[in-house]
Structure formats: structure tokens, C-alpha cells
Amino acid sequence: MTSPHSTRREALRALLREEHCDALVVSELLNIRYLTGFTGSNAALLVHAEDSPGNEDRTVFCTDGRYRTQSAEQVPDLRREIARACAEHLVGLAVQAPARALGFESHVVTVDGHAALAAAAADAELLRAPGLVERLRMIKDVGEVALLRAACDAADAALAQLLSSGGVRAGRSEMDVARELESLMRDHGADGPSFETIIAAGANSAIPHHRPTTAVLAAGDFVKMDFGALVGGYHSDMTRTVVLGEPATWQREVYELVSAAQAAGRAALTAGTASAAVDAAARQLIVDAGHGDHFLHGLGHGVGLEIHEAPGIGALSTGMLSAGAAVTVEPGVYLQGRGGVRIEDTLVVTDSTPELLTLTTKELLVV
Amino acid sequence: MTSPHSTRREALRALLREEHCDALVVSELLNIRYLTGFTGSNAALLVHAEDSPGNEDRTVFCTDGRYRTQSAEQVPDLRREIARACAEHLVGLAVQAPARALGFESHVVTVDGHAALAAAAADAELLRAPGLVERLRMIKDVGEVALLRAACDAADAALAQLLSSGGVRAGRSEMDVARELESLMRDHGADGPSFETIIAAGANSAIPHHRPTTAVLAAGDFVKMDFGALVGGYHSDMTRTVVLGEPATWQREVYELVSAAQAAGRAALTAGTASAAVDAAARQLIVDAGHGDHFLHGLGHGVGLEIHEAPGIGALSTGMLSAGAAVTVEPGVYLQGRGGVRIEDTLVVTDSTPELLTLTTKELLVV
């Protein structure tokens, strides 16, 4: 029986062979979770380029004594070692057999951490091998998409209940709305919010990453809500902007513009397209409308075990989108002192139309 | 007018002179917050050993364009630079004037990050300088203690309300109790919980770091509640264990033992005492009662801008306590399959009796 984790480790072995890396010591905890299912706070994993997918007898997991029971449950399929300094311990094991090129995660390991690894490596050479597991993590497998979908569902359901119960109304504070939305996400199956919920009303909606305050929602306000749910370690990310009462002409115009830009971004989101081209497809509409200076952040980002992960989708992004990448598309126009609109979905890239995971309407809602 | 931040920077300069470090590039965001008040997600700070405390014209703060306005408000007293790669930018500035020994935070900077700093440093040498600001952060100043006190007050008030309103009762799930306690902390002024609240009932109370589940509280259970509030960036940390209904004899005995050990730990907590001796003072009682194997974690830890920071208080700790350190004292006895008790306070070390910040009673509460 092949577990998703063993499939991912086999993919990592293929990548190690491509990179001429005999073995990799994985230090980043989210990478270890991805490769083994372990969720504790201290661990390392040793993966050799050459190993038998069937029994993986050269693959070693290490954690400390606090996680003896938990690791036996979560990582039953690998050899387990108990040590406090996990990565050093595994480097020590790896260099007993001659590993010519032993990689480490140089984007994660600190300079002091590296000195400890080098001491454990004795004469063996340590090779900088940054971002290998993150490259695999960009493309979500079926189980990951299922968790992302569940996270998006919890967020959709929470917002629906918040809106239908009149939770977004004049007189409430941003903080109260944020707390209720987070509570509703838990009611709908989330383990928690996937980041600190942004509720930004009136002029505050023009601040891209506003933190909710005691400011009170008032008639005529844009209310920008950027939030997500966490399910099984996976993050959803969605923004909707509603208006309290009849929208003014400028509000309709800004909303329609952002909505059109967001649709253009989604339309451009296909496997094989350069990330920068997706950004440009959305951004061009905003620039053409004279609001280029009011949209200064990137169009989107990857989402998964982290709320922000590869691939980035911005004007300066260099990569190309691949099928299976989970990303956000979130243009905004922010008019300082007046208000702003952002519309954001989480989607999975495919060879044709992306799969939309956040299902709440993007019509301008008047609440 | 001297701000707490400029006082802290002056203390850092004295430490740099002691360490023969001409200048330090600070990368750790909490250290930057401590030294400047900046709360954004990208920054670096350059501090020279020699600078005039009055105007600090050699001290440079750097952040990226997103934080132009915020940094002008939070760091009005320092020269500010805008760059995306903040630490590299400051290294580039530092080596323009001949800095013989330019330190960097080697416990925080990754191997890849160091390569980027070294490129920016050109011929200048970079010196590993780990943990200097953390050493200062161990000793809390008046403003920090005030924030810690406010955080502890919010936690005390929330627990009082939870208990007086019958929130801890048979039939409720651990998760429901945890959510209500977190919500009450916000009602009482917390910015949020300082970590994921632990509510552990019955046999679950024997798991030191149990995550709340849908398990339901039942008559006769120990209910262990480990939680804290976050106020202005500072964390409180407190554990209380109550019993649902009349306690059994074994429950009274375990509780009295942990209570006595906790009192012994607090009694030993004085400036000038070795941390290991404080741990031993509490642990000895538990060992003498035959429960040494049921108390396998350290006695306590420092608390401040992080929920766990220096100094550690454990059997293997090497340091000595200083007046002004904020720490927890939290022995526990965990009987697998039956239940466990932990009692934890947050206190400030003084030359005599420590200042107790968590004021909830430590009598065994029958709820």
C-alpha cells in the first residue's frame, strides 16, 4: 500500500538524483510534515537519492523524546530515531556510510545550525540544497486539494452565515465582525483561522493589510473581509468586499473595475503561462483605468501548508504556472482616505479553466 | 526625552563594546521590535558600538516600501532606509565606513541569507554574534513588566468569569471551553491568546501538551487549563487544574504534591540562584513522593515577546537568574490513563520574593 507520504518521498528521491545530491537532511518542519505526516515541533528527516520505494530502509526520521508516542502513530512506516538535536543526529548517521554529497536546507538552516551540522559531518562535505521540497509542494496532490477544498468550504459557509444573519451591519466594530467570522469558521469545521482575519471598514478598507480595530462600521462603507480557514494544516484565502447600504457611483466603478481585473486574472490562469503574464492580464485593466498607482501589491501567491508559499504571481515573478498549483488571484484598488476593494479567490491551476475553490459570489453585495 | 527603545539600544551598544563588535546588523524581527517598536514583517537594524545616545546618527533602520508610513510612525527617531533586502542593504551601508568587526545574528540568519550578506559585505568580515539582543531581553524594563501584568490580568479575569459563569462543567467539550476562554480574554483586553489554549479533561489531563478535542468533560475529571493572553506583543502563561465534583483521594494527593512543588519552586526563585537549583527545589518534592518519572519537562521558562524565551529553568540549565527576568514556574505530575495536574504562574524575579503576575488562586477548585 502506497501512502501519499511515501509517494512524495519517491518524488523527492527523483529530484535528488536530478540535483546530484546523494542524500538530503530535511530540517523544515512543514517539509517534514509534507513528507511524513508528523506534526510535532522538533524533527529531521534523512532521505537518500537511492532507496527502495517499497521499504525505504535508508530513510530515517528523528524526533525527541516528547514525541515518542506521537511519532510512532504518525510515522509508522519509517525507521525512527530519538535524539534532541535531530538534524545533527541524522548527519552523523548519514556520514557513517560514505555520502559524497549530503544536502541540507540552506534556506532554513541558520549559520549556527550549519556549524553544528558541519561538526557532526566530520570530514564529509555538506551541500547547499535549498527549496527542493518546496518545489514539490507547489503541485498539490489529490489529498491536498481535498484539504484545501475543505478549508475553502469552511470559509464560504462562515461568510454565508455571517451575511445571512446580519453580522455585517452598521454599528458593529471591525473586531467584533472578525471574531464572529473566525468563530463561524470553527463552527463549520475549521481548526482555526488560517491567518488573522482582516475586517476593514470605510477608509480603513483602503489599507491593504489593515488589522481590525474598534472602528465601527457605518452606512455607506466598503467593508473588506480577507480571511481563511485552516483544515488539516492547509490554508484557504479569500477576500470579499461588500458595501453597507446603497453604493455610491465611485464605489460601483471601483468594484466593477476590480471585479473585471480579477476575472481577467482568472482567465489567464492556465498551466504553461508565465506568472508575470497572469499578473499583467489583471493589472493592465487597472492601469488602463488610471488606477495603476492604487494597486501596488502582487496579484497572488501559492497557498497550502503555508498561507504564502510558491509560486508568487507578481509583475517580477519569473516562473511559469504548472497544473496542480494552488494559488490566489487578488487584485485590489485602494483609494487613500476613501476606501478600497479587493476580490480574492483560491484556485487550482489546470490545463484549461482553473478549479475555483472559494465559491462565494463576487457580485457586489449590498448588506 | 529618552524612549525605552533608545535606552535599550544604548544597552546594546555597551554589550557590543564588551563583545568587541564594531557594529551589529539585527535581523530577528522581535529583536527589532524590542529595539525600535517596529511591528512589521520585514526589517533590519544597524547599531554601532560607538554612537551618540542623544542623536544616534550611525543607527539605521531599514524596511520595505509597504511599511513606509508605518515605520515613520513607529520609528520616528532613527534614520530610515527603504529597501527590499533590508539586512543586505544595511551591510552595504556599514562597510562603506570601515567596520572592522561587523556582527550578524548567526542564530537567526540562514546559510543562504549569510551568503547574501557576505556578498553585500564585499571584503569586510562578518562576525557571528548570536543572541546579544536576547540577552538584554531577558531582563524586563518597567514598560515590559506593565505589559506582562496587563496580559496576566486579562487571563486572570477571563478565567474568573469562565468559572463563575459555570463555563467549566460536565457535558461541554474541551474545544468549547477553550474557545470561550479565548473569547473572554479578548473581552478583557487581550489582543488574542498568547498560544493555542490547552483544555485537557480526564485522562487527557495526563498529556502535558494536549490539544483540545471534542472530548466531553465528565464528573470526576481533572480539567487542566494552560493558557495566556497577548497584550502589546507580550505573552502571559498560566495553568490551573480544577476538578469536576468531589475529588478522589488520589486527586487530592497529586494536587497537593504539585501545589507544594510549585510553592517550593517559587520560594527558590531569587536573583543570583542557579536556574537548575530552582528546578531542583520543586522537582525534589515530586521525586521524593515517587513521581519523578511523571514529571519529565523543565520547571519553567522565560516569557516576554515570545511565549518561550530565555532563561530556561530546567535540570540541565546552566545560567543564573537575574532580577527582572520574567519566568514561569510550572511543575506537573501526569499519571497516564488517569489524569494529571500542572500549576503554573508567571512571575518576575527580584532580589527577594518574586513578583507574582498571575493572581488566580492555586487552591484546588471544585467546580
Side-chain angles (χ1 to χ4, degrees), chain A residues 225-297:
Chain A
M225 301 178 280
D226 187 349
F227 65 105
L230 186 67
V231 173
Y234 284 77
H235 299 72
S236 78
D237 198 355
M238 166 161 80
T239 308
R240 290 294 183 270
T241 307
V242 301
V243 66
L244 287 186
E246 201 48 39
T249 307
W250 72 270
Q251 288 178 313
R252 281 199 188 280
E253 285 170 1
V254 170
Y255 193 92
E256 289 309 319
L257 174 62
V258 175
S259 176
Q262 208 261 354
R266 284 186 287 122
L269 192 75
T270 317
T273 306
S275 295
V278 179
D279 180 277
R283 190 174 303 275
Q284 195 57 51
L285 270 73
I286 294 175
V287 170
D288 288 349
H291 284 300
D293 287 347
H294 304 134
F295 173 35
L296 293 178
H297 58 73

Side-chain angles (χ1 to χ4, degrees), chain A residues 106 109 111-112 128 179 183, chain B residues 106 109 111-112 128 179 183:
Chain A
S106 53
V109 174
V111 171
D112 289 350
R128 282 166 61 170
R179 283 176 61 179
S183 181
Chain B
S106 53
V109 175
V111 171
D112 289 351
R128 283 167 61 170
R179 284 176 61 178
S183 182

Side-chain angles (χ1 to χ4, degrees), chain A residues 317-342:
Chain A
S317 298
T318 51
M320 180 177 284
L321 289 163
S322 301
V327 299
T328 69
V329 173
E330 48 174 313
V333 167
Y334 311 97
L335 305 177
Q336 214 190 328
R338 301 179 74 189
V341 172
R342 179 166 63 243

Side-chain angles (χ1 to χ4, degrees), chain A residues 84 104 106-115 128 130 179 182-184 186-187 191 196 211 316, chain B residues 84 104 106-115 128 130 179 182-184 186-187 191 196 211 316:
Chain A
R84 188 170 269 243
F104 72 100
S106 53
H107 62 308
V108 170
V109 174
T110 67
V111 171
D112 289 350
H114 175 257
R128 282 166 61 170
R179 283 176 61 179
E182 293 185 354
S183 181
L184 287 169
R186 293 184 200 257
D187 290 344
D191 300 325
E196 194 184 353
R211 299 185 66 181
L316 303 174
Chain B
R84 188 170 268 243
F104 72 101
S106 53
H107 62 308
V108 170
V109 175
T110 66
V111 171
D112 289 351
H114 175 255
R128 283 167 61 170
R179 284 176 61 178
E182 292 185 354
S183 182
L184 288 169
R186 292 184 200 258
D187 291 344
D191 300 325
E196 194 185 354
R211 299 186 66 183
L316 302 175

Side-chain angles (χ1 to χ4, degrees), chain B residues 30-117:
Chain B
L30 289 177
N31 289 344
I32 293 168
R33 179 174 186 162
Y34 176 78
L35 293 168
T36 68
F38 180 71
T39 58
S41 67
N42 183 27
L45 179 71
L46 173 65
V47 178
H48 282 84
E50 302 296 341
D51 202 351
S52 46
N55 64 9
E56 298 184 89
D57 55 8
R58 302 181 74 196
T59 306
V60 190
F61 172 88
C62 184
T63 184
D64 67 52
R66 292 173 297 168
Y67 294 111
R68 195 180 286 274
T69 310
Q70 179 179 332
S71 64
E73 287 167 6
Q74 293 185 322
V75 195
D77 50 344
L78 293 180
R79 172 177 162 197
R80 287 184 306 283
E81 296 273 319
I82 299 290
R84 188 170 268 243
C86 298
E88 289 91 313
H89 182 75
L90 293 184
V91 165
L93 284 183
V95 298
Q96 283 171 19
R100 281 187 317 276
L102 176 59
F104 72 101
E105 294 185 302
S106 53
H107 62 308
V108 170
V109 175
T110 66
V111 171
D112 289 351
H114 175 255
L117 294 188

